[in-house]
């Protein structure tokens, strides 16, 4: 009886270890999964196959303009060493009309990180305290705010991490990222399955 319990405990331990290894290293890439965090009401959606493609696109200059003078997407990516995490990943950028007329647009960006998600979470948690501030969780997903006095007046740059995706939101309201997370969790319909540009 004791031997059977020991064997069962060992098998469960091996199964648990195997599940952790698969989750941490072997999550298969899911094409277009980045779209699942973009709400259906997005007015403009741009998909890039890598961060390099996004940084060289005209969309990057529009985001830089929204960030305000003295800020650029390239500088933010380089200064935080996030470029290597998203360099070869699908990225979707969307202009989402969350705000009322006359207000600034909300920009959302979603990058596939897959198996790198737990490592990126540890990196983000380790970076907290500088310009990156942990603000809490929505459902189970952690959320951080990138604080920079040079950021355009009244805008908030928020980041969230799911099991496969890094989600960023540049908005006047720091709670707009919650809508993106609710979309990912299927509480809000996501962007149509039509072909992205």
């Amino acid at each position: 009886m004791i031997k059977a319990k020991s064997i069962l405990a060992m098998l469960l331990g091996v199964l648990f270890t195997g599940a952790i290894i698969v989750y941490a290293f072997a999550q298969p890439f899911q094409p277009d999964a980045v779209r699942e965090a973009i709400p259906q009401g997005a007015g403009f959606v741009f998909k890039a196959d890598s961060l390099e493609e996004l940084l060289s696109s005209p969309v990057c200059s529009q985001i830089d303009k929204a960030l305000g003078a003295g800020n650029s997407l390239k500088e933010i990516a380089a200064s935080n060493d996030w470029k290597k995490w998203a360099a070869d990943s699908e990225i979707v950028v969307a202009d989402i009309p969350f705000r009322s007329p006359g207000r600034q647009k909300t920009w959302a960006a979603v990058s596939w990180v897959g198996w790198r998600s737990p490592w990126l979470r540890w990196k983000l948690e380790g970076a907290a305290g500088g310009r990156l501030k942990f603000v809490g969780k929505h459902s189970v997903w952690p959320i951080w705010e990138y604080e920079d006095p040079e950021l355009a007046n009244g805008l908030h740059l928020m980041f969230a991490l799911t099991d496969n995706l890094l989600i960023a939101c540049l908005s006047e309201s720091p709670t707009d990222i919650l809508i993106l997370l609710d979309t990912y969790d299927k509480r809000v319909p996501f962007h149509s399955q039509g072909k992205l540009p």
Side-chain angles (χ1 to χ4, degrees), residues 79-196:
S79 70
N80 290 284
D81 198 27
W82 294 338
K83 193 170 180 175
K84 70 178 182 183
W85 294 96
D88 298 322
S89 304
E90 270 190 357
I91 299 174
V92 164
V93 175
D95 170 2
I96 304 170
F98 289 150
R99 303 278 48 109
S100 56
R103 302 263 181 118
Q104 296 189 52
K105 297 174 182 176
T106 293
W107 285 94
V110 182
S111 174
W112 172 265
V113 291
W115 64 268
R116 296 167 290 181
S117 181
W119 313 112
L120 182 54
R121 180 176 180 163
W122 292 333
K123 185 167 182 60
L124 288 169
E125 287 172 352
R131 290 185 177 180
L132 203 60
K133 178 177 123 185
F134 178 71
V135 294
K137 292 183 178 182
H138 182 65
S139 297
V140 296
W141 312 126
I143 302 169
W144 294 267
E145 181 169 9
Y146 179 76
E147 297 179 322
D148 189 335
E150 299 294 320
L151 202 61
N153 192 29
L155 289 182
H156 300 269
L157 183 55
M158 311 296 293
F159 293 93
L161 197 59
T162 70
D163 50 349
N164 288 318
L165 303 176
L166 174 65
I167 301 171
C169 185
L170 178 66
S171 172
E172 289 183 331
S173 172
T175 60
D176 281 349
I177 196 158
L178 304 182
I179 298 170
L180 303 176
L181 289 168
D182 284 344
T183 304
Y184 178 75
D185 285 336
K186 310 279 190 285
R187 294 185 190 107
V188 175
F190 65 91
H191 190 268
S192 69
Q193 296 298 322
K195 185 173 173 56
L196 294 176

Side-chain angles (χ1 to χ4, degrees), residues 2-20:
I2 295 174
K3 188 174 182 179
K5 285 183 180 180
S6 297
I7 291 172
L8 181 60
M10 188 172 67
L11 286 174
L12 289 174
V14 168
L15 183 63
F16 180 71
T17 303
I20 290 174

Side-chain angles (χ1 to χ4, degrees), residues 47-90:
K47 180 178 160 191
D49 290 325
S50 67
L51 182 60
E52 239 7 89
E53 183 181 337
L54 173 64
L55 293 176
S56 62
S57 73
V59 176
C60 188
S61 63
Q62 291 197 23
I63 296 172
D64 288 350
K65 185 178 175 185
L67 285 168
N71 288 294
S72 76
L73 197 55
K74 286 180 184 178
E75 287 173 5
I76 290 173
S79 70
N80 290 284
D81 198 27
W82 294 338
K83 193 170 180 175
K84 70 178 182 183
W85 294 96
D88 298 322
S89 304
E90 270 190 357

